[in-house]
Amino acid sequence: MTVMKLTKEHYKEAMKLSEYAFQYKVPEEKVEERLDMMDKHHQLYGVFSGEELAAKLHLLPLEVYIGGRTVRMGGVAGVATYPEYRRSGFVREMLTDLLETMKKEGCTISMLHPFSVPFYRKYGWELFSSHLKVSLKSESLVMKKQVPGRVKRHVGKDGHSEEIENVYDQFASRFSGMLKRETRWWQQSIYSENTYAAVYYNESGTAEGYLLYEVKDSKMTVEEFVPLTPSARTGLWNFICQHDSMIKELEITTFESDPLFYSLKEPRIKAEVTPYFMARIVDAEAFLKDYEFASQERTILTIKDEYAPWNSGTYEINDGNVTKTDAEKGEISLSINALTAALFGYMRPSDLYEIGEMEGSEEAVARLERLIPDRKPFFNDFF
């Protein structure tokens, strides 16, 4: 079985496989646009059975924020196999081959949206971000005390501005995992035909927050609620409340610990938390060396990684420096999955220890707890 990098002559065949597997149809007038996007922004890999493309996946070279730093990330998308070739090991071979490719290309982490969490966990990807979806009735739209700034509304992608991108970048750098968006990504992947943007400006005219939302059939759907300051949070909420005569329902999707809803007059609301995206450390040594630890303590980790064996081994972290050692076992032993969840902030080391996903002494786990910043994970895109 050989995994091949697909060329342009295979793109239509790959698109047909996606249509079959994901049960959709690309409109004829959009076919060339879709093929052009694949050629410019995707790398495609596949396995053939004779002359037929049996399985394929897409690699998207992207960057994400880990706090104030950005790292190269390999986005995995469009993983598909024709049913007659399923359970033949094709996807396993493609993912294993892709891990080597990503490492060679300098991607220290990878992300994907899973069709099955257990399936991708087996190959080292782990949950790292959840969405909080809140539904409110119009009677819950109670305005807060007015703030001195103002909100300006824009229509769709034509109203997109560098100000919105700057606000997003500042907001994204507070989290682990947020995508670093290029203007192209905003235009192609963020806005739909019905998207509105509302930007909050402070008294000096500086943008401090924005909303991306749609209003349809008496329902307002807020896809991005991005305030940088308390005033922006209040100003954007009040702007939402001004729609109370137009809508019967409000739905907001945001990060799991967004403090907005605590401050509502009636905070007993319908809220649903759903695990969303998965991440995987591709190159543990490079990622650890670039990671910004919260303290200068020392610990020694032994990492297990079946599908990226270059990660398996023992690493000493001391005074912010990382060294791969010849020691057989460190103070803490954990899988690449657990390491990913911990370093992204999705699970604290103490929690992983409690559920048996991390082995070591309580003292060693406490040191690792202090080493990892208390930074929230979030991912608000899709590919």
Side-chain angles (χ1 to χ4, degrees):
M1 185 191 309
T2 303
V3 178
M4 293 177 52
K5 186 173 183 179
L6 304 185
T7 58
K8 289 181 70 172
E9 65 188 72
H10 301 122
Y11 287 178
K12 279 192 175 181
E13 196 173 351
M15 190 170 64
K16 288 179 181 178
L17 175 48
S18 284
E19 289 177 324
Y20 187 91
F22 303 121
Q23 303 170 49
Y24 70 94
K25 184 68 177 176
V26 179
E28 193 62 37
E29 66 273 15
K30 296 284 188 180
V31 168
E32 289 304 318
E33 180 183 330
R34 182 69 60 91
L35 294 173
D36 183 62
M37 182 186 68
M38 290 162 63
D39 185 47
K40 289 180 178 178
H41 306 299
H42 295 197
Q43 298 175 25
L44 274 68
Y45 297 87
V47 175
F48 285 82
S49 178
E51 297 296 317
E52 182 179 33
L53 180 64
K56 60 87 185 177
L57 57 73
H58 300 224
L59 172 63
L60 286 66
L62 299 166
E63 290 183 83
V64 297
Y65 286 95
I66 305 293
R69 303 182 181 188
T70 58
V71 300
R72 295 185 67 184
M73 183 271 287
V76 182
V79 182
T81 308
Y82 280 117
E84 60 267 36
Y85 299 114
R86 291 192 65 195
R87 298 177 178 85
S88 299
F90 289 176
V91 173
R92 180 187 65 244
E93 289 299 319
M94 288 193 300
L95 291 175
T96 303
D97 187 82
L98 189 66
L99 286 169
E100 295 182 4
T101 298
M102 288 190 288
K103 183 176 184 295
K104 289 175 184 175
E105 294 186 357
C107 295
T108 57
I109 59 173
S110 174
M111 292 182 182
L112 55 81
H113 184 257
F115 78 93
S116 165
V117 170
F119 179 84
Y120 285 106
R121 268 183 170 164
K122 181 170 62 176
Y123 298 107
W125 277 266
E126 186 51 73
L127 290 167
F128 86 93
S129 175
S130 295
H131 274 174
L132 172 66
K133 183 177 288 188
V134 174
S135 297
L136 299 168
K137 299 299 181 183
S138 58
E139 53 264 30
S140 297
L141 302 183
V142 179
M143 293 182 64
K144 299 176 181 295
K145 184 179 179 181
Q146 289 287 354
V147 289
R150 65 185 179 91
V151 174
K152 183 178 180 180
R153 180 173 49 83
H154 304 275
V155 181
K157 64 176 69 176
D158 292 336
H160 181 67
S161 65
E162 187 176 338
E163 289 177 317
I164 292 176
E165 294 190 21
N166 289 337
V167 170
Y168 170 84
D169 286 336
Q170 292 178 67
F171 184 75
S173 66
R174 299 175 178 180
F175 296 87
S176 291
M178 291 281 275
L179 192 67
K180 182 173 177 58
R181 296 174 178 170
E182 299 176 352
T183 301
R184 169 193 63 83
W185 187 273
W186 282 94
Q187 296 289 346
Q188 293 181 355
S189 302
I190 303 303
Y191 291 97
S192 69
E193 293 181 1
N194 301 315
T195 302
Y196 287 90
V199 181
Y200 174 84
Y201 297 89
N202 65 18
E203 289 179 289
S204 301
T206 301
E208 290 186 343
Y210 72 84
L211 298 175
L212 296 183
Y213 66 98
E214 294 184 3
V215 180
K216 184 179 180 181
D217 299 330
S218 299
K219 179 180 179 179
M220 184 177 192
T221 304
V222 176
E223 297 169 349
E224 298 195 9
F225 183 83
V226 180
L228 296 180
T229 64
S231 293
R233 187 180 295 279
T234 299
L236 292 171
W237 171 254
N238 285 347
F239 174 78
I240 292 172
C241 291
Q242 298 281 31
H243 292 76
D244 57 350
S245 64
M246 296 172 53
I247 62 174
K248 296 178 181 178
E249 183 182 1
L250 167 69
E251 182 178 281
I252 303 179
T253 300
T254 183
F255 60 96
E256 190 173 351
S257 54
D258 193 321
L260 170 67
F261 308 105
Y262 171 80
S263 66
L264 298 183
K265 184 175 182 180
E266 175 50 88
R268 293 177 298 178
I269 55 178
K270 181 182 177 182
E272 180 182 10
V273 176
T274 304
Y276 181 48
F277 245 67
M278 300 184 82
R280 189 201 204 284
I281 294 174
V282 173
D283 188 336
E285 186 172 9
F287 186 73
L288 284 167
K289 284 183 175 179
D290 196 45
Y291 192 79
E292 191 172 9
F293 291 98
S295 72
Q296 303 299 309
E297 296 187 67
R298 176 179 180 271
T299 191
I300 304 175
L301 308 177
T302 296
I303 301 168
K304 296 167 285 186
D305 191 342
E306 179 181 355
Y307 289 94
W310 54 85
N311 288 330
S312 294
T314 302
Y315 300 78
E316 180 180 355
I317 302 169
N318 190 10
D319 198 26
N321 298 309
V322 177
T323 306
K324 194 170 185 180
T325 75
D326 295 327
E328 290 187 8
K329 191 172 183 180
E331 300 170 317
I332 293 173
S333 297
L334 71 172
S335 67
I336 197 71
N337 304 65
L339 181 69
T340 300
L343 294 183
F344 273 79
Y346 192 67
M347 294 286 287
R348 297 300 298 175
S350 56
D351 296 323
L352 291 165
Y353 177 75
E354 286 294 327
I355 61 174
E357 295 294 330
M358 183 180 292
E359 297 178 359
S361 68
E362 291 187 8
E363 180 186 352
V365 172
R367 284 202 304 275
L368 183 60
E369 185 94 16
R370 293 191 292 270
L371 274 167
I372 296 176
D374 187 16
R375 184 186 300 123
K376 298 175 178 67
F378 189 43
F379 192 79
N380 206 32
D381 285 90
F382 182 82
F383 51 76

